[in-house]
Each structure stands twice: as structure tokens, then as C-alpha cells.
Amino acid sequence: MSYKAEYIWIDGTEPTAKLRSKTKVLADGAEPPIWGFDGSSTNQATGDASDCVLKPVFTCPDPIRGGDSVLVLCEVLLPDMTPHPSNSRALLTPVAERFAEQDSWFGIEQEYTFFKDGRPYGFPVGGFPGPQGPYYCGIGADEVVGRDIVEAHLDACIEAGLKISGINAEVMPGQWEFQIGPAGPLEVSDHLWMARYLLYRIAEDYGVAATLDPKPAKGDWNGAGAHTNFSTAAMREGYDPIVTACEALAERAAEHIKGYGSGIEQRLTGHHETAPWSEFSYGVSNRGASVRIPWQVAIDKKGYIEDRRPNANIDPYVVTRLMVDTCCSALEKAGQV
Ligand code: ADP
Ligand code: MN
Ligand code: MN
Ligand code: MN
């Protein structure tokens, strides 16, 4: 019997790209082929030269449709088969390959916020819920909203074979987190985009929108981030490489901030468990630092670091490329690989 393949790609919307998808029915046994779309409707082409190419790069079972259905994450190419300017995955690939021997691992904590009727899910009409405090990892109808969607999403990610490692309710009502990793730079990024697709798609069935807005509610409410946990083989074996990585991130702080998501200045204010975007700092256990060295890592003298700066709305292909490039080249230079 024929089966359904949902082709998923990242569009050219600026400053933050969106996911798009459409369905192809394939003959039994056929591999998902190269396909195309109208780039003039996705901010990726002009009407007079609208064809863009979809190249499958990661396929997994589709837990929503079930059966033989699959999800197909694609890179966008130009008709001459070179990467489209919006294709950030193509920029990550050579960097990941160049430093493959250092065996980089990432764990990305994706925070997000549900919206319904134009306001964060659970916010009363024309007002605000009680102040932050009880909601983080909360239990009970007075503290969390949307758990049914979150549970359905977790099950779907597991069924799809994604490397999801956990979920938790966040500091603001209607705000949640899932983590993808540990996995290499391309894998963690592919899986994160696929998990985002599943989140949007599942929330759709509940009449709820999931957003990656880094500051979804103005005022005394936490923003939404994508803390990026990172290690190399050397960092997993010793402490000097951990310090080297932190110092390298300090050197290139401004460049990283530019790639860490639109609207980062609104989120990294120095309040709400953030460090100001304009000043780099790192420290053990410090959730008010740009980069945190977890306490267990400081005791064990090996492990990983947490870059707390990336926004919820990051492109993981950009963030992992920056981190691999900065940290792995510094470790190589220091002879600590
Ligand atoms: P937090 O305490 O900041 O909320 P989480 O538990 O939400 O941290 O996320 C930590 C992430 O770090 C997880 O995705 C986990 O898989 C990942 N992680 C654990 N060890 C490593 C490592 N050595 N290198 C990279 N990532 C790691
Ligand atoms: Mn977390
Ligand atoms: Mn969090
Ligand atoms: Mn964290």
C-alpha cells in the first residue's frame, strides 16, 4: 500500500525562520525522493524564479499518522543543487566534520510557551495569574496548564525515535521545557527541529499554539531560553579543557550573542536567572552567569558546561556551529584534545 511522507523544512522568514511542511504519497517501498516547493510563498525566492528543492536529510516514523507514515526533515537547495542561503545546516556540516574527532555532545533545553486566544495559556482574560514561584516543576490544576499536550508530545517524540531526555513545567504558567540530547551537533539539531514540528502539530489538535518567543509576557515573568549543554571527549575527561572552553567563549562572546536568537537583549537583562547580554561571565553553579559549570562537574573535575544565553527561538544549526568552532578550535590550539 502507498504511504504518507510529511516533508518538513525551515523557511526564509526573518529574523526567525518558521517550519513548513507538506505531504507526499509514496509507493510502497519507495524511498522519499528529492522534491520541491514554491519558494516565493516562504520568503525563499521571487515569483519569477520560485522553485526551491527539498533534499531529505533525516527521516523517522510519524507518530501522529502512525502505520508506515514518516516525517522527512529536509535541507533547502537552489535548483542547481547548491545550498539555499537560508540553509544553515549546510554551514554546520563542514565544521562538524572538521572537529569530528573531538566528539562534541550537546543537550539542548528547549523552553516554549503555549498560547490560546492571544494570551499565554492559563493567563486570565485581561489580567495576570499569581506571581512566579509555584509553577516551576509544579503539580496540580492551580499550578500547571497544558500537561495533556506535553505528555502527548513526549510520547510522540519517543515513538519517533528522537533523543528526547526529559520534560518539566517552567517558571511562568503555560511555559514548559523539553530536552534533546546528548547527541552530536547535526543529530541534536535535526532532532530538535523534528521535536518542534511535533510540538506545533500536536498542540494544533488542542487548538493551542506553541511559541518560541524569548519574552512571551512583558513584566516580571521569565523569558524562554534554549540552554545549550556542551562537552567534548577531552572535557568529559578533565577540568583544564572545561576552563579552556569557557575562556574561548569569553573571547568570542559578541559573535555568539549575534547567533543566539532574535530579541536576545530583551531576555538577557541580568534579571530572571540571566546574565546581561553585553557582559560575559562563567561560574560554578551560577544561574546568573552566561555559562554555568554544574556543581557536580566542579567536584568530578570533568563533564560539561551549560551556555545559558541561547534564546528559545535559536536555530540550533547556528548555535552548535558556533560552539564547536569556538571551543574545539581553542582546545586544538591548547593541545587539549
Ligand atoms: P538544567 O539543570 O539546567 O535544567 P537539564 O536537565 O534540563 O538541565 O538539561 C541538561 C541537558 O544536558 C540534558 O539534555 C542532558 O542530556 C545534557 N547533558 C548531560 N551530560 C552532557 C554532556 N556530557 N555533554 C552535553 N550535554 C550533556
Ligand atoms: Mn532544564
Ligand atoms: Mn528551563
Ligand atoms: Mn538549564
Side-chain angles (χ1 to χ4, degrees):
M1 203 173 72
S2 299
Y3 73 101
K4 294 174 234 174
E6 190 70 9
Y7 277 62
I8 300 163
W9 73 96
I10 298 151
D11 79 359
T13 304
E14 288 183 358
T16 303
K18 278 162 35 77
L19 281 177
R20 308 271 180 155
S21 81
K22 59 174 183 166
T23 308
K24 191 171 186 61
V25 177
L26 295 168
D28 190 18
E31 286 291 309
I34 282 197
W35 200 19
F37 67 98
D38 168 16
S40 72
S41 300
T42 63
N43 305 309
Q44 280 161 311
T46 52
D48 56 337
S50 65
D51 284 332
C52 288
V53 174
L54 292 173
K55 179 183 135 199
V57 290
F58 170 54
T59 300
C60 67
D62 181 348
I64 297 171
R65 286 179 167 146
D68 293 334
S69 303
V70 291
L71 302 175
V72 183
L73 186 71
C74 298
E75 278 190 24
V76 176
L77 306 182
L78 295 165
D80 67 3
M81 297 295 156
T82 59
H84 187 276
S86 65
N87 182 347
S88 53
R89 191 180 188 278
L91 296 178
L92 169 61
T93 305
V95 176
E97 275 167 12
R98 164 148 155 43
F99 296 108
E101 276 182 16
Q102 292 198 38
D103 197 19
S104 296
W105 292 0
F106 288 89
I108 302 183
E109 304 169 48
Q110 176 69 70
E111 294 179 342
Y112 60 93
T113 312
F114 287 132
F115 267 72
K116 196 175 167 70
D117 303 323
R119 57 181 189 278
Y121 200 20
F123 275 46
V125 184
F128 293 92
Q132 291 184 164
Y135 309 116
Y136 170 74
C137 295
I139 308 141
D142 53 339
E143 293 182 355
V144 296
V145 277
R147 193 188 293 276
D148 44 356
I149 311 173
V150 172
E151 289 289 332
H153 175 249
L154 176 60
D155 286 341
C157 288
I158 292 171
E159 226 180 292
L162 304 183
K163 287 195 170 169
I164 191 160
S165 48
I167 53 172
N168 60 266
E170 267 304 335
V171 175
M172 189 181 99
Q175 205 174 61
W176 293 83
E177 169 180 315
F178 64 84
Q179 302 100 31
I180 300 285
L186 280 160
E187 188 180 33
V188 80
S189 303
D190 289 344
H191 286 208
L192 179 55
W193 278 113
M194 208 61 120
R196 286 172 172 178
Y197 168 80
L198 286 171
L199 180 66
Y200 300 142
R201 178 61 192 79
I202 288 165
E204 182 186 314
D205 286 347
Y206 290 81
V208 170
T211 153
L212 307 185
D213 187 334
K215 201 70 188 176
K218 301 235 172 328
D220 208 11
W221 302 98
N222 273 35
H227 297 166
T228 301
N229 300 274
F230 172 75
S231 64
T232 64
M235 292 164 72
R236 293 189 290 275
E237 277 155 27
Y239 205 70
D240 288 348
I242 288 186
V243 174
T244 301
C246 291
E247 292 291 341
L249 289 169
E251 288 273 311
R252 291 172 64 175
E255 182 190 348
H256 278 245
I257 286 289
K258 280 197 201 110
Y260 279 9
S262 172
I264 199 161
E265 302 83 358
Q266 275 86 58
R267 177 175 147 264
L268 298 187
T269 56
H271 306 288
H272 304 111
E273 301 178 63
T274 67
W277 66 274
S278 53
E279 291 164 36
F280 182 88
S281 58
Y282 71 92
V284 174
S285 279
N286 187 356
R287 288 177 194 266
S290 314
V291 172
R292 176 176 68 104
I293 300 172
W295 64 272
Q296 190 71 50
V297 174
I299 290 172
D300 295 346
K301 295 284 173 238
K302 61 181 182 180
Y304 65 99
I305 57 174
E306 178 194 41
D307 193 337
R308 300 177 57 80
R309 296 170 295 169
N311 266 358
N313 61 353
I314 51 160
D315 177 350
Y317 297 128
V318 173
V319 171
T320 57
R321 170 170 54 83
L322 286 166
M323 290 192 75
V324 168
D325 194 34
T326 298
C327 299
C328 293
S329 59
L331 288 164
E332 194 176 78
K333 214 160 148 194
Q336 293 173 340
V337 295

